[in-house]
Amino acid sequence: MSGAKPWLRHYSQEVAPTYEYPKQNLARLLVDSAEKFPDRPSMYFLGKTLRYQEVLDASYRFANVLRELGVSPGDRVSIMLPNCPQTIIAYFGTLMMGGIVVMTNPLYMERELVHQLSDSGATVIVTLDLLFDRVQKSKGKTPIRHVIVTSIKDYLPFPKNVLYPIKMKKDGAKLDVTYGDGVYAFKKLLRAASGAPVCVDVNADEDIALLQYTGGTTGISKGVMLTHTNLIANTYQTSNWCYRIRIGEERFLGAIPCFHVFGLTVLLNQSMLRAGMLILIPKFDINLILDTINTMKPTIFPGAPTMYIAIINHKRVKEVDISSINVCVSGSAPLPLEVQERFEALTGGKLIEGYGLTESSPVTHSNPVWGYRKIGSIGVPLPDTDAKVVDVNTGEEVPIGEIGEILIKGPQVMKGYWQREHETALTIKDGWLYTGDMGRVDEDGFFSIVDRKKDLIIAGGFNIYPREIEEVLFEHPAIQEATVVGVPDEYRGETVKAFVVLRSGMSLTEKELELWCRERLAAFKVPRKVEFRPSLPKTMIGKVLRRQLLEEEKKA
């Protein structure tokens, strides 16, 4: 199939195979929409509506705050927040002054936080008051010099009804320093800052907009360097794919987190590009989701299969009106056919499966939204995206229908891994991104994933790398050996199971091990199942046979 693109014949007439992408600062997505539609609602957050001009002004102020704090173009700024207006303001403000955004999962514990902040070299972190203690404990082990603290109540319509543990104090410094040395109140900083427009010119193909961290088979989290061009291209690619999106009229349900690159591209960036209203949900709560859909009438709902499963199985789903939803793009994990059919029947909209990875900003494939689709496939490559399946040993393209590693080429493919030239060279060869995912392509150009080359576990849309959990298990004084696998789970897709061998004469309960892990790992990484064994199956050279454990699990 080399050189041919059979998938192009399945493109809708409204979707071109190639497009021109503007070479500009990614922040222009907000700037341009705000200039055209200043009074149009940009965000809705728990009862509070912010218009485009308000978000633009706040973003300019944040950009100027960073400049006053001594942040220069190319410096890294960590944003450790759930979906809330401050996330979007800090994101665009950082981009406007030429900084590099480091999206940081608010669920990270101290150990994970220290690694990411140290590796990225971030000097500023924006976080929530509820996470402040965790950040402060980590700060001394990282390059962080400035902590900007905000509260969910900062953008709620009735802040007096919400209680938060940190009270900010003013000490009269130029930048309104609060709560100790190097710690600032987000809202006070913005109030004191200049609102002068800032949007620096960038070399879009070379300058990094985002350092998005991902795990690896070694368990070491790597920073994926995504340029302004990478993210702009993928925003346009996904937007053009959903060609019926109307400028200024769509409402995007922000249930997936913006600290995940899937949410960042198909939710935040696409909403700003199309001057839509972004309905921000800080945490996936099924009742909040149902109430929000019922009252706010979102039209676009990107998500993970677990979200759609939760909705279709909820007892209240027939009591609320969810018919406003026109388009859902499901990513992060395989989408079961039953879920797709039931969700489409309930909403009357389209729920289609796509595919991507952090290293490609992230979307590379999708089933056509309103055209021919193949259930169980990840669809076809997006415009300007090429893909092929190669033999893992020879690197040669395999015949149609045969299994091999999926390779991707396109404007959304990362620049490389942050400060890891060797790993970049192993992952990108001759412009092709080696995904590590095993799959096949059929005669129509539809791709399917059949297995993972890596031992990646995807639970509830989160990528989990066994080695990272194993390292935590091995630190326990009672554990001699341990290995971690992903086992099937009806709700999460997969869940984490640990197989543990104890040291002679030592004892450990499942509950004690859970507490040990919860202190050291984000909640979604903590093993949900534990099996204590006298030994683990191994190869002749002592490597644990994960596949054998998985096969035993299936038979059990």
Side-chain angles (χ1 to χ4, degrees):
M1 203 179 72
S2 184
K5 294 185 178 181
W7 55 80
L8 292 179
R9 65 176 179 264
H10 297 292
Y11 274 30
S12 301
Q13 286 187 342
E14 292 86 350
V15 179
T18 186
Y19 290 91
E20 288 291 323
Y21 306 105
K23 304 290 187 181
Q24 61 189 26
N25 191 317
L26 179 60
R28 295 294 316 179
L29 295 178
L30 170 62
V31 175
D32 291 348
S33 287
E35 288 177 350
K36 292 174 188 171
F37 310 106
D39 295 323
R40 191 159 282 168
S42 172
M43 283 184 275
Y44 174 87
F45 181 65
L46 303 179
K48 174 78 170 179
T49 300
L50 292 174
R51 304 194 179 277
Y52 268 91
Q53 186 59 51
E54 293 177 85
V55 178
L56 180 65
D57 177 69
S59 300
Y60 282 152
R61 288 176 181 275
F62 190 83
N64 286 313
V65 162
L66 292 180
R67 284 179 161 182
E68 286 198 56
L69 288 174
V71 179
S72 301
D75 288 351
R76 277 75 65 204
V77 175
S78 167
I79 301 174
M80 187 181 180
L81 295 171
N83 286 4
C84 58
Q86 300 94 309
T87 304
I88 284 75
I89 291 164
Y91 172 69
F92 282 114
T94 301
L95 295 171
M96 285 169 171
M97 57 72 57
I100 297 173
V101 173
V102 182
M103 281 295 187
T104 304
N105 191 330
L107 296 177
Y108 275 175
M109 302 307 285
E110 183 181 344
R111 167 198 187 103
E112 300 155 307
L113 192 54
V114 167
H115 168 71
Q116 189 179 108
L117 297 177
S118 299
D119 188 76
S120 66
T123 56
V124 178
I125 185 168
V126 188
T127 193
L128 214 54
D129 49 8
L130 300 172
L131 306 173
F132 178 72
D133 287 344
R134 197 183 310 164
V135 170
Q136 279 294 86
K137 286 176 185 174
S138 309
K139 184 182 171 186
K141 304 171 189 174
T142 73
I144 292 292
R145 296 197 303 270
H146 307 290
V147 181
I148 300 176
V149 186
T150 188
S151 167
I152 291 291
K153 72 177 184 179
D154 283 352
Y155 284 93
L156 286 181
F158 308 109
K160 290 180 182 177
N161 295 342
V162 186
L163 298 175
Y164 283 83
I166 295 178
K167 292 183 179 179
M168 297 298 172
K169 301 173 185 175
K170 181 176 177 180
D171 70 359
K174 182 184 177 186
L175 273 169
D176 210 3
V177 178
T178 60
Y179 206 72
D181 184 38
V183 181
Y184 312 83
F186 182 91
K187 206 165 184 183
K188 289 182 180 178
L189 282 182
L190 259 60
R191 201 179 298 131
S194 165
V198 180
C199 195
V200 301
D201 291 333
V202 296
N203 181 339
D205 291 339
E206 295 296 328
D207 290 350
I208 305 163
L210 178 71
L211 266 188
Q212 188 73 30
Y213 275 77
T214 182
T217 51
T218 62
I220 299 169
S221 184
K222 301 186 289 288
V224 173
M225 297 187 288
L226 298 176
T227 65
H228 291 264
T229 289
N230 290 154
L231 291 160
I232 287 172
N234 207 225
T235 301
Y236 275 83
Q237 287 169 316
T238 52
S239 187
N240 290 336
W241 194 251
C242 300
Y243 55 87
R244 292 183 187 173
I245 290 181
R246 302 155 298 176
I247 298 289
E249 295 184 36
E250 305 295 349
R251 295 181 172 213
F252 293 75
L253 183 65
I256 49 174
C258 292
F259 58 76
H260 189 291
V261 71
F262 181 43
L264 201 66
T265 293
V266 302
L267 187 65
L268 171 53
N269 289 345
Q270 196 179 124
S271 176
M272 295 299 134
L273 171 66
R274 295 302 186 195
M277 178 198 277
L278 186 54
I279 303 166
L280 292 164
I281 307 288
K283 181 182 179 183
F284 188 83
D285 176 281
I286 185 61
N287 284 302
L288 175 60
I289 294 288
L290 289 173
D291 290 340
T292 302
I293 295 174
N294 189 49
T295 57
M296 294 305 297
K297 310 297 182 192
T299 56
I300 297 175
F301 176 14
T306 48
M307 295 180 177
Y308 308 123
I309 292 170
I311 289 172
I312 62 176
N313 291 319
H314 198 275
K315 60 185 178 183
R316 289 185 56 214
V317 71
K318 292 185 178 175
E319 300 170 12
V320 296
D321 179 10
I322 61 172
S323 64
S324 63
I325 297 169
N326 294 325
V327 180
C328 297
V329 179
S330 177
S332 301
L335 177 68
L337 173 60
E338 181 195 8
V339 176
Q340 185 175 36
E341 291 178 338
R342 286 179 61 192
F343 193 87
E344 289 190 344
L346 283 168
T347 63
K350 297 292 184 181
L351 171 57
I352 52 113
E353 184 170 358
Y355 166 82
L357 59 165
T358 306
E359 289 86 344
S360 58
S361 305
V363 190
T364 65
H365 291 67
S366 178
N367 271 276
V369 183
W370 297 284
Y372 176 66
R373 63 188 186 185
K374 289 194 177 182
I375 305 302
S377 82
I378 57 171
V380 298
L382 294 185
D384 293 298
T385 305
D386 203 355
K388 62 182 179 180
V389 181
V390 302
D391 185 285
V392 293
N393 296 313
T394 66
E396 296 297 316
E397 198 164 355
V398 300
I400 285 172
E402 289 195 13
I403 295 172
E405 182 174 1
I406 295 177
L407 273 56
I408 308 290
K409 182 184 279 188
Q412 71 270 53
V413 170
M414 68 171 181
K415 184 176 182 176
Y417 294 116
W418 177 254
Q419 296 178 338
R420 286 183 167 84
E421 291 182 11
H422 176 66
E423 291 181 57
T424 298
L426 292 175
T427 308
I428 300 177
K429 302 173 188 176
D430 298 322
W432 287 96
L433 173 67
Y434 283 65
T435 67
D437 284 325
M438 306 298 286
R440 59 166 69 94
V441 59
D442 66 17
E443 65 280 355
D444 290 321
F446 281 75
F447 286 71
S448 301
I449 302 291
V450 296
D451 199 357
R452 297 186 186 92
K453 188 177 166 187
K454 307 163 188 170
D455 292 316
L456 178 67
I457 300 167
I458 301 180
F462 286 109
N463 287 359
I464 302 170
Y465 294 85
R467 175 69 182 273
E468 185 180 11
I469 302 169
E470 288 165 4
E471 287 175 355
V472 169
L473 296 177
F474 274 105
E475 289 173 5
H476 195 288
I479 292 178
Q480 178 177 309
E481 287 185 290
T483 193
V484 169
V485 299
V487 296
D489 182 280
E490 285 186 5
Y491 179 64
R492 302 174 83 210
E494 286 183 300
T495 198
V496 179
K497 180 170 182 176
F499 293 86
V500 175
V501 178
L502 296 178
R503 296 183 187 276
S504 178
M506 303 289 279
S507 65
L508 182 67
T509 66
E510 192 170 334
K511 187 64 180 176
E512 288 169 342
L513 185 56
E514 180 188 347
L515 291 172
W516 172 271
C517 292
R518 284 195 179 279
E519 290 175 0
R520 293 162 176 82
L521 292 166
F524 63 86
K525 298 178 186 176
V526 175
R528 299 291 179 95
K529 297 179 181 180
V530 177
E531 184 175 330
F532 293 97
R533 289 192 168 205
S535 63
L536 297 175
K538 297 186 182 74
T539 64
M540 298 252 327
I541 59 172
K543 187 177 180 182
V544 175
L545 291 165
R546 291 179 200 263
R547 191 59 54 190
Q548 185 176 322
L549 290 169
L550 283 170
E551 288 169 2
E552 291 174 11
E553 189 72 14
K554 287 175 185 174
K555 293 175 185 175

